Amino acid sequence: MYLKNAWYVAAWSNEIGEALAERTILDTPILLYRKENGDPVAIGNLCPHRFAPLHMGRRIGDSVQCNYHGMVFGETGHCVLNPHRGGVISPAMKVAAYPLIERNGAIWIWMGEAEAADPALLPDFDCYSAPGFTTIRGMMDVAANYELIADNLLDLTHAEFLHDGALSSEAITISKLETMESGSTIWANRWCPNGEAAPVWSQIQERVMGVDPAKPIDHWLYMRWDAPGHLLLDVGITEPGNRREQGGWVFTGHHLTPISPTRTFYYWTVVRNHGLDDPEIEAFWQGSIDYAFAVQDKPMIEAQQRMIGDRHVEDLNPVAIPADLAGAKARRMLARLRAAEVKGEPRPALGGSALNELLKSAAESANPVLPVV
Amino acid sequence: MYLKNAWYVAAWSNEIGEALAERTILDTPILLYRKENGDPVAIGNLCPHRFAPLHMGRRIGDSVQCNYHGMVFGETGHCVLNPHRGGVISPAMKVAAYPLIERNGAIWIWMGEAEAADPALLPDFDCYSAPGFTTIRGMMDVAANYELIADNLLDLTHAEFLHDGALSSEAITISKLETMESGSTIWANRWCPNGEAAPVWSQIQERVMGVDPAKPIDHWLYMRWDAPGHLLLDVGITEPGNRREQGGWVFTGHHLTPISPTRTFYYWTVVRNHGLDDPEIEAFWQGSIDYAFAVQDKPMIEAQQRMIGDRHVEDLNPVAIPADLAGAKARRMLARLRAAEVKGEPRPALGGSALNELLKSAAESANPVLPVV
Amino acid sequence: MYLKNAWYVAAWSNEIGEALAERTILDTPILLYRKENGDPVAIGNLCPHRFAPLHMGRRIGDSVQCNYHGMVFGETGHCVLNPHRGGVISPAMKVAAYPLIERNGAIWIWMGEAEAADPALLPDFDCYSAPGFTTIRGMMDVAANYELIADNLLDLTHAEFLHDGALSSEAITISKLETMESGSTIWANRWCPNGEAAPVWSQIQERVMGVDPAKPIDHWLYMRWDAPGHLLLDVGITEPGNRREQGGWVFTGHHLTPISPTRTFYYWTVVRNHGLDDPEIEAFWQGSIDYAFAVQDKPMIEAQQRMIGDRHVEDLNPVAIPADLAGAKARRMLARLRAAEVKGEPRPALGGSALNELLKSAAESANPVLPVV
């Protein structure tokens, strides 16, 4: 049901410290904490003795003691101290240990077989740490399947309706949607030169760029999807013909970690190249995200889930529109990766680096041109 | 499980305006609103694209726009505008449309095949609009199967116990219960001449009729049931030998619309021929209903449902008493109509008009005589 | 699933009076009340007519009238008055009646066939009424299977961890756990001579016994289990070589009555031989129990249950430790008794009285010696 041999965001880095934190990921109870040297640890949260949750226990050095009968588990998941008569430790006294990578402000967890953990399958989110950019982050607990959230992000035509036009414009509507696929990566891109930007940008256009918001602008929205649910929107405005970094440039990241088939941890971030120390700009982006995600997208997606119930959306014969293409491709890719995993077949690599390089160079060029595979 | 080829009350007329309203009826999400000319519309509430609820959308003229991706649906349920590239509308882009009849202050919805919608199957509730009568109305959301509520209404012997005697009297207890059946209609009638009325009537007897409440009175309680759950109680008191309209006369209507097998919209009304402009009389009837339904009947019926759980009451081998007869007849009739519907067999007509005429003339005569089929 | 031919605590005696009380026991709705002569009655709570709960009804002498349609049921469960036409009472008009024994401050209910009710299967809790002792009592509604609670009580090694050491000591930790079995009774005993007591006893040692709490003491903890879930901890401290009654002596009783497979009424009592009229000592024991049970044990056991879900703990391959021995024996005994009940085989008697006598004499002797079967 889930893709297990994959990296999920277990938490933003700043959420995890020495305290014992619990997260249910893919229906599996996980314990998260940092060792004294700061390295994060993820092990199974259920003591193998009587299934007491370890997060109700206590730290002993870099290990964790179950608060029920006192067994101590180390970072590898093995019991390191059995306080009971004899202190004998049997091989069964262990919990799972999950490979982690901490990168770009997030703790990424590998939910499949540890031996299969492959850093090459971690999508590139280096933009989160790019010099000249700053970041805000958050997490929402959404009562919906993670693929419904990905549908929402891969089809930005909903912005015109659900977001009252604040995130859409005529220039976006008439732009051509370029859907691309390379390896297991999918893009849904729009390049909207010399038109109006979505209204959410008008303040950036005026205050940050010093440009009359009534003037035409080059506007881009490039959405990238990677399995199982990592999305990156590269979006911004710049004066016609200018380079991207001369304008207002933002990356929004969206990491969808299934709690269960009908509930999702949604980790989001906004990474911007402007107003780095400006509290008003910070409050503007925070407020925009809160409004768009929490007030508009979340209630709609949760209503969708309630209507769909325990059924699978594809089994309900939904009517398709062209804007569904990228979402449908992502669903098919995920199904293909899951099937390959079950059969033990090799899985495709992440989207070709050639394409990534092309996108990067486009980002740096004047008149960014949408690359075509 | 449900009788689909039947009229249900979707709402009281005054509950529905231009705003988008939702109701779940027979487990089916329904959208209700009025067109600009005032006519009511009922269509499926789930957009066929991604199953977003349409009631979260907006009105565009007489149509409704889904607030997720902007498809617009008209009163026939067909998509009338597809804002996506090309605007092509496929035949699958539609929601169901439900036949409606607005009559006697209620909006009646046909939940079966639209072609089968038959106004002749709508029971007669013209008394709701009778000259010389006035009306109060309400709705309760009851956490119980609708047949349990019908049981309650068809066996008024419960009044002696559950309603602390306020709705019962010795004259009612000793009266003969006449259970009649004609077509698909069932009656459970009591004619209680020259005795005491139920205490709830004493204020009417004294204030409205100017009669000492200790004096004997003619009292009638005629309950009519029609499938799937429409009940009409014709009830009142008049001085012995007087005509009905000389006394205090009330129709209480009870319309049971299943939300699910264990939850019901209960639409009720009290239609009276006295104190038409008297706020105290109005408050008296409103308070009596609130107390009898919300404080006494509803908690008991919901407790019954909790005890029965997901099981069917008939499968629990209930002990029968004679007072169950009308309720049992109604359950059997409903089962018979459902079976006929599944097999595509013709269904019996509503209760014979001859009997209705007889009841009407009885209502107008002095010494109303209980008609026998 | 449940052992039915067994005594369960239905309520503490002081919880039941003339008012109608409901309890769900082994998934079965039960009505409890006292007759005018004070004797307790337990009958089925669902009227056989339409399954209305009788506790919503009213007392008529020693009988109970259903508040829906007025049937009256006596203490034997048979209908004694049918208010409906004719008043005929059919044999089916009855609810179950449950044998009760009121003893030692509790009302014990037999949930199996009434003919099989055997007072000899009621474990001995006469210590609750022993002269020179006084009692506090309470009940907790725990969202966990009752066997998980028995596990907790039969393995006191958890005290060192879950109770922050307040209920444990080095002397307890190094003591030998004597697990014994006789008939269907199981003991898990620790005799800890001439060492420190658990910290919870220091106030008793100092205030009640007038002994410096730093001085060594004889400490005993004898836990007895009887099916289906009755536990008695005989626990206390006395100066080395002294008799038990010269020290601080407490019996804690634990009666686990399943509401459902995942919810339990937990009746507890603390019976002490000291500070009989001392409100501070009373408050100390009440506070200790509240803290240990409600703040420490209950959250842990409920967390265990949430993690285990609907599964059976034994099916999850738990890792065993020696301290599980008594709990495992109790689980096996319960399984054996259930299997015997299903097959109609005879069941073993309660633990041999010879052993009980031995324990009693040990309790009265100086240097109580742990008896071995």
Side-chain angles (χ1 to χ4, degrees), chain B residues 151 155 161 175 304 319 324, chain C residues 48-50 67-69 85:
Chain B
D151 286 345
D155 171 14
F161 308 99
S175 70
Q304 252 188 307
V319 162
D324 297 329
Chain C
H49 170 226
R50 304 303 288 171
N67 200 30
Y68 202 176
H69 300 91
R85 202 65 56 77

Side-chain angles (χ1 to χ4, degrees), chain C residues 314-332:
Chain C
E314 298 296 325
D315 297 338
L316 299 177
N317 293 319
V319 162
I321 59 174
D324 296 329
L325 181 59
K329 277 178 178 289
R331 286 179 174 274
R332 274 197 300 269

Side-chain angles (χ1 to χ4, degrees), chain A residues 171-357:
Chain A
I172 297 174
T173 301
I174 65 168
S175 69
K176 181 161 164 47
L177 172 67
E178 296 272 357
T179 303
M180 300 183 299
E181 197 171 333
S182 171
S184 62
T185 304
I186 289 159
W187 287 262
N189 297 342
R190 290 182 184 274
W191 165 237
C192 323
N194 204 31
E196 77 278 32
V200 75
W201 288 95
S202 65
Q203 189 180 155
I204 305 301
Q205 188 165 348
E206 186 162 15
R207 281 199 45 195
V208 173
M209 295 163 55
V211 175
D212 177 358
K215 290 186 66 179
I217 212 90
D218 285 356
H219 192 15
W220 69 95
L221 305 94
Y222 293 174
M223 181 70 88
R224 188 191 76 193
W225 175 92
D226 281 291
H230 300 295
L231 295 107
L232 179 70
L233 178 63
D234 167 2
V235 61
I237 55 173
T238 194
E239 285 191 85
N242 271 10
R243 296 162 59 91
R244 288 183 175 200
E245 62 268 30
Q246 294 172 276
W249 191 357
V250 159
F251 295 97
T252 67
H254 313 262
H255 304 282
L256 309 173
T257 305
I259 301 170
S260 74
T262 56
R263 208 175 132 209
T264 302
F265 290 127
Y266 180 167
Y267 297 91
W268 61 263
T269 184
V270 174
V271 183
R272 70 184 188 273
N273 77 335
H274 51 273
L276 302 194
D277 302 309
D278 183 337
E280 276 189 49
I281 293 287
E282 178 113 351
F284 164 76
W285 280 114
Q286 180 74 49
S288 298
I289 290 295
D290 286 349
Y291 189 72
F293 287 5
V295 178
Q296 295 176 326
D297 285 314
K298 185 172 188 282
M300 180 60 85
I301 294 169
E302 292 183 337
Q304 253 188 305
Q305 182 68 58
R306 280 194 302 277
M307 297 298 140
I308 293 169
D310 289 334
R311 297 166 295 182
H312 195 278
V313 68
E314 298 295 327
D315 296 338
L316 299 176
N317 292 319
V319 162
I321 58 174
D324 297 328
L325 181 58
K329 278 177 177 288
R331 286 180 173 273
R332 274 198 299 270
M333 177 60 68
L334 200 50
R336 195 179 129 199
L337 297 178
R338 279 192 296 241
E341 180 173 297
V342 168
K343 292 186 200 151
E345 291 173 357
R347 96 180 232 189
L350 296 180
S353 56
L355 184 58
N356 280 325
E357 290 310 309

Side-chain angles (χ1 to χ4, degrees), chain A residues 10 30-33 40-44 75 96-100 107 109:
Chain A
I30 306 280
L31 176 73
L32 290 165
Y33 63 95
V41 173
I43 60 176
E75 61 185 290
Y98 296 89
L100 297 180
I107 298 171
I109 188 169

Side-chain angles (χ1 to χ4, degrees), chain C residues 71-113:
Chain C
M71 277 192 205
V72 180
F73 300 90
E75 59 185 291
T76 64
H78 288 87
C79 181
V80 295
L81 177 73
N82 177 6
H84 297 280
R85 202 65 56 77
V88 175
I89 294 172
S90 74
M93 288 179 187
K94 66 166 195 280
V95 294
Y98 297 89
L100 296 180
I101 293 176
E102 185 159 22
R103 189 178 293 171
N104 295 321
I107 297 172
W108 307 78
I109 188 168
W110 180 263
M111 294 298 294
E113 299 146 39

Side-chain angles (χ1 to χ4, degrees), chain B residues 276-307:
Chain B
L276 303 194
D277 302 309
D278 184 336
E280 277 188 47
I281 294 287
E282 178 114 350
F284 163 77
W285 281 113
Q286 180 74 49
S288 298
I289 290 294
D290 286 348
Y291 189 72
F293 287 5
V295 178
Q296 296 176 326
D297 285 315
K298 185 173 188 281
M300 180 61 84
I301 295 168
E302 293 183 337
Q304 252 188 307
Q305 182 69 58
R306 279 195 303 275
M307 297 298 142

